[in-house]
Amino acid sequence: MKILVVGGGGREHAIVWKLSQSPRVSRIYCAPGNGGIASMAECIEIEATDLDGITVFAREKEIDLTVVAPDDPLAMGMVDKLEANGLRAFGPRKAAARLESSKVYAKEFMKKYGIPTAEYQAFESYEDALSYLKQADFPVVVKADGLALGKGVIIASSREEAENALREMLLEGRFGDAGKRILIEEFITGPEVSILAFTDGRTAIPMVSSQDHKRVYDGDKGPNTGGMGAFSPSPFYTADIAKYVEKNIIEPTIRGMGEEGSPFKGVLYFGLMLTSDGPKVLEYNARFGDPETQAVLPRLKSDLLEIMEAVIDERLDQMQIDWDDRAAACVVLASGGYPGSYDKGIPIEIGEVTDCLLFHAGTAQGLHGLVTNGGRVLGVTALGKDLEQCIRKVYGSINRIYFKGMHYRRDIGRIKEREQ
Ligand code: AMP
Ligand code: GLY
């Protein structure tokens, strides 16, 4: 089979790596890919958001399956377009991807189907939002409705900060159309867990649990990033909690989307907070998480292609999915300056990396070898009998990787006993 993977980050490298192990895969293309993916797939110069370009390429090359991994093309309807052209695609259609592309839609959906989440109010008018703040307790969480590269969530500890966020989003257009509607949410606390699930619109099979580290510096300090590392499993996600989440969150979500007439097919990501009041949904993502995927897929023993096909053909109920009992951790190496501005084209030196997987994100093949080409550059993943062993292996390998300005967190997987 000929496969096309859309995207070019660490998540896509992990997906390409896993799919390349499937005996039925004969050839993999990746658009646009990166310097590491190029060693196991043919990278093509088409942007992940180029719906026409991807569709034309898939038709010309007679691609058997296109895997759409990033949020933007899913929100733009790439899967709908591929299907309309008679092509097979993995990922939710545009209407189902709204669970991620509109936070207001996701909240209204959760309210309608009784899915536990933080209390909220939605606003389009600055004046209305401002007057709501008058009776609010702080902190509150202000969120832009649409996709904002993970930057559209502001935790405002005072009225002044909240008012600033409202002004930036609703009056100054900081996030463009994505910030024309906003949510003001109740601030909730507890450990965060990411649960990714395969779903064919009727059946959902959760993957092993994971957790990502969003802040740039150790101890969860500094600004939010796309994710500085992840580990799996989460020690907080016990069997009892898993059972509760399946019954009260995952199943009602899948059923509800069916009732809405937009069944969700693909990978649905549940960003959960385990509060003293029980698990609540912080957000949905309509796709594999990044960098959670780099910690979760190495633990998948089953054939990813078989699972993806079962999702598309709606026979996930007949699938058995097996996982490696070992733990996994992934540490992201970032460019100097990230998540602010950074230089590209810096040479990367990689010595002997043993017993680790190297997932490339912002890398490119330069004239004289590998160079940096983005903010998050590389993800180093190790499997181990426990988290401690993974962490030792990963940081041991990182000592053999260097590029000027490189920085990374030293505390990935070292979670506090109980947050708060
Ligand atoms: P989101 O993109 O909606 O997941 O938000 C990004 C991050 O903001 C989450 O991972 C949480 O750490 C934090 N967050 C979001 N919503 C809330 C909330 N209602 N209460 C507390 N923290 C939140
Ligand atoms: N790691 C969070 C995300 O993929 O959005």
Side-chain angles (χ1 to χ4, degrees):
M1 280 179 72
K2 284 190 279 188
I3 314 279
L4 167 61
V5 175
V6 176
R11 164 184 57 205
E12 287 76 12
H13 194 177
I15 292 171
V16 166
W17 166 80
K18 187 66 194 166
L19 284 173
S20 70
Q21 295 163 16
S22 173
R24 287 173 54 226
V25 170
S26 53
R27 188 150 192 189
I28 307 183
Y29 297 92
C30 190
N34 62 38
I37 293 175
S39 68
M40 49 180 72
E42 189 175 325
C43 293
I44 47 171
E45 278 181 47
I46 304 176
E47 284 306 313
T49 47
D50 182 353
L51 269 59
D52 291 335
I54 295 285
T55 307
V56 168
F57 180 85
R59 283 181 71 161
E60 269 176 8
K61 296 284 182 191
E62 298 179 327
I63 298 294
D64 298 298
L65 171 65
T66 301
V67 178
V68 184
D71 51 359
D72 284 327
L74 290 169
M76 293 162 74
M78 185 178 279
V79 169
D80 311 54
K81 175 145 189 153
L82 288 163
E83 287 178 350
N85 280 272
L87 294 156
R88 266 163 88 76
F90 180 86
R93 293 183 186 154
K94 182 175 181 170
R98 272 186 303 171
L99 277 184
E100 173 169 10
S101 63
S102 168
K103 287 185 190 287
V104 175
Y105 173 81
K107 280 293 202 184
E108 284 168 356
F109 170 83
M110 286 189 265
K111 195 169 181 184
K112 180 166 172 189
Y113 291 95
I115 296 161
T117 187
E119 293 296 328
Y120 76 99
Q121 287 286 329
F123 298 98
E124 285 178 37
S125 140
Y126 174 70
E127 284 73 27
D128 290 352
L130 210 56
S131 76
Y132 174 81
L133 280 187
K134 290 211 168 75
Q135 43 82 41
D137 290 326
F138 292 89
V140 295
V141 185
V142 180
K143 296 186 179 181
D145 176 47
L147 299 177
L149 295 170
K151 298 194 176 100
V153 175
I154 311 281
I155 298 182
S157 47
S158 65
R159 183 182 313 275
E160 194 188 350
E161 280 180 53
E163 288 179 3
N164 280 343
L166 295 182
R167 196 182 53 249
E168 282 183 2
M169 291 185 198
L170 291 170
L171 296 183
E172 293 166 5
R174 172 156 175 221
F175 299 109
D177 283 350
K180 277 193 169 155
R181 284 201 295 176
I182 59 131
L183 292 171
I184 300 182
E185 271 185 33
E186 165 203 16
F187 175 77
I188 56 177
T189 55
E192 289 185 40
V193 181
S194 304
I195 301 298
L196 287 65
F198 293 108
T199 167
D200 62 4
R202 294 187 302 187
T203 305
I205 305 185
M207 302 184 211
V208 287
S209 64
S210 57
Q211 187 184 324
D212 71 346
H213 297 258
K214 290 198 173 72
R215 304 291 197 102
V216 67
Y217 301 128
D218 287 2
D220 286 334
K221 303 262 173 17
N224 264 334
T225 68
M228 295 298 286
F231 59 92
S232 169
S234 158
F236 298 114
Y237 201 67
T238 60
D240 279 349
I241 293 179
K243 214 151 93 212
Y244 177 94
V245 167
E246 280 181 47
K247 180 160 176 287
N248 297 285
I249 293 177
I250 300 180
E251 282 169 19
T253 300
I254 304 307
R255 208 170 44 242
M257 289 304 281
E259 283 175 30
E260 293 298 298
S262 36
F264 192 103
K265 293 172 73 168
V267 169
L268 184 52
Y269 168 129
F270 300 80
L272 304 177
M273 191 170 259
L274 309 181
T275 74
S276 52
D277 230 11
K280 295 189 178 181
V281 178
L282 284 177
E283 63 163 347
Y284 292 111
N285 289 329
R287 52 176 172 82
F288 278 106
D290 190 336
E292 285 93 333
T293 304
Q294 295 90 303
V296 167
L297 279 189
R299 297 187 59 201
L300 176 62
K301 291 210 280 194
S302 306
D303 185 328
L304 180 58
L305 176 66
E306 299 295 336
I307 302 171
M308 288 181 161
E309 294 221 289
V311 164
I312 295 172
D313 298 332
E314 295 176 22
R315 45 180 176 76
L316 206 50
D317 57 341
Q318 295 158 35
M319 281 299 288
Q320 160 78 29
I321 300 182
D322 296 318
W323 297 94
D324 194 322
D325 286 334
R326 287 175 297 171
C330 171
V331 175
V332 170
L333 309 180
S335 291
Y338 177 81
S341 62
Y342 50 83
D343 291 333
K344 292 182 181 179
I346 298 171
I348 305 172
E349 291 163 38
I350 302 179
E352 199 186 339
V353 172
T354 47
D355 213 9
C356 279
L357 294 158
L358 211 52
F359 293 122
H360 291 227
T363 72
Q365 287 296 340
L367 280 179
H368 307 290
L370 202 64
V371 295
T372 65
N373 193 38
R376 291 189 292 173
V377 176
L378 290 164
V380 185
T381 295
L383 288 160
K385 68 175 172 21
D386 53 25
L387 209 47
E388 207 40 58
Q389 195 187 44
C390 302
I391 292 167
R392 265 204 311 278
K393 284 191 201 176
V394 169
Y395 286 106
S397 290
I398 289 176
N399 288 335
R400 302 196 189 87
I401 302 174
Y402 176 77
F403 51 90
K404 194 161 163 266
M406 164 175 127
H407 69 97
Y408 57 91
R409 279 183 60 161
R410 324 235 162 195
D411 64 346
I412 300 302
R414 298 196 196 284
I415 22 152
K416 289 164 264 172
E417 261 309 292
R418 180 94 198 172
E419 289 176 23
Q420 255 304 63

